[in-house]
Amino acid sequence: LNAALFVTEAFANEKTGLCFAASTDCVDTMLQDLYQGVQECELKISPGEEENESSIANRVLNAVETTIFYLNRRAGPSEKKMKKRAARKYLKQLVSKEGPSVATAHVGAQICTYVDGLDCAKARVLTPYKRRGYKISDETAELVNRVKEEEKVAAEAAAAAAAVEQEEDAESEEEEEDASENQTEK
């Protein structure tokens, strides 16, 4: 996980130059390694966990988001929005104009849904990917639907568990009241 995260963060850092030169195939391999590392470590953000920028989970999510950002940026005509000098410098550095592939978006969505859920995947990967006019694959659409169903079932189970707990609390309070009434009668 740490090695894959290091490489992904190196890609996301403009000073290394990888975001200008790495091919999409290399990026896909890098993200696959990161996903395997996340699965092996069972890295997830708990619902009650605080947002800590230095935590490994947040570093992974930021690296994935930044990777998609740079791939989108280098595929589009972003130099047209820059001033002349900045555009000239950017175009000198740019080696590969390949954008994110369908596989890149799929693996990025897998990582985000595994670590922090569907909302995270939509915000960090799928929305920027779609905004550029790319279409998501059938696999990714299936992943999104499956995760929606899993989150819905988990929410229903949590609601049912909370209802059972409330009933148990109410029953124990009634028993305590009955016991105190019996003691006062004696």
Side-chain angles (χ1 to χ4, degrees):
L1 175 66
N2 287 330
L5 182 59
F6 176 78
V7 173
T8 308
E9 286 177 336
F11 176 84
N13 186 353
E14 276 190 27
K15 293 178 184 174
T16 63
L18 290 175
C19 61
F20 301 111
S23 69
T24 305
D25 294 335
C26 291
V27 174
D28 290 345
T29 305
M30 174 184 69
L31 288 177
Q32 281 288 350
D33 293 343
L34 185 63
Y35 182 56
Q36 288 174 355
V38 164
Q39 284 182 317
E40 287 173 9
C41 293
E42 296 181 8
L43 187 66
K44 293 186 182 217
I45 294 179
S46 304
E49 188 177 330
E50 286 186 27
E51 288 285 325
N52 184 0
E53 288 299 319
S54 63
S55 76
I56 291 181
N58 282 320
R59 286 178 53 205
V60 165
L61 295 174
N62 289 337
V64 170
E65 179 180 24
T66 308
T67 300
I68 296 295
F69 169 77
Y70 279 118
L71 288 173
N72 277 333
R73 179 176 153 197
R74 77 182 191 186
S78 58
E79 67 273 1
K80 291 181 180 177
K81 297 177 184 175
M82 299 178 186
K83 293 184 179 179
K84 280 185 181 179
R85 206 174 268 181
R88 202 173 307 129
K89 181 181 175 187
Y90 174 73
L91 289 173
K92 278 184 183 177
Q93 290 175 326
L94 190 64
V95 175
S96 174
K97 287 194 80 141
E98 296 175 350
S101 67
V102 173
T104 308
H106 181 70
V107 175
Q110 282 180 319
I111 292 170
C112 290
T113 54
Y114 189 85
V115 174
D116 198 22
L118 185 60
D119 291 338
C120 174
K122 284 182 178 178
R124 293 179 184 252
V125 177
L126 298 176
T127 302
Y129 184 75
K130 287 179 181 177
R131 194 177 301 139
R132 281 288 194 173
Y134 300 120
K135 302 237 185 276
I136 61 171
S137 68
D138 293 337
E139 282 182 328
T140 308
E142 185 179 302
L143 171 73
V144 167
N145 291 333
R146 183 174 42 98
V147 171
K148 271 183 192 178
E149 290 299 318
E150 289 173 1
E151 287 181 354
K152 184 179 176 182
V153 167
E156 289 172 357
V164 167
E165 189 175 309
Q166 280 182 337
E167 287 178 16
E168 290 174 357
D169 289 343
E171 288 176 8
S172 64
E173 287 177 11
E174 288 177 10
E175 290 174 4
E176 288 175 9
E177 288 176 10
D178 290 342
S180 64
E181 288 177 11
N182 288 340
Q183 286 181 357
T184 54
E185 288 177 6
K186 290 181 182 179

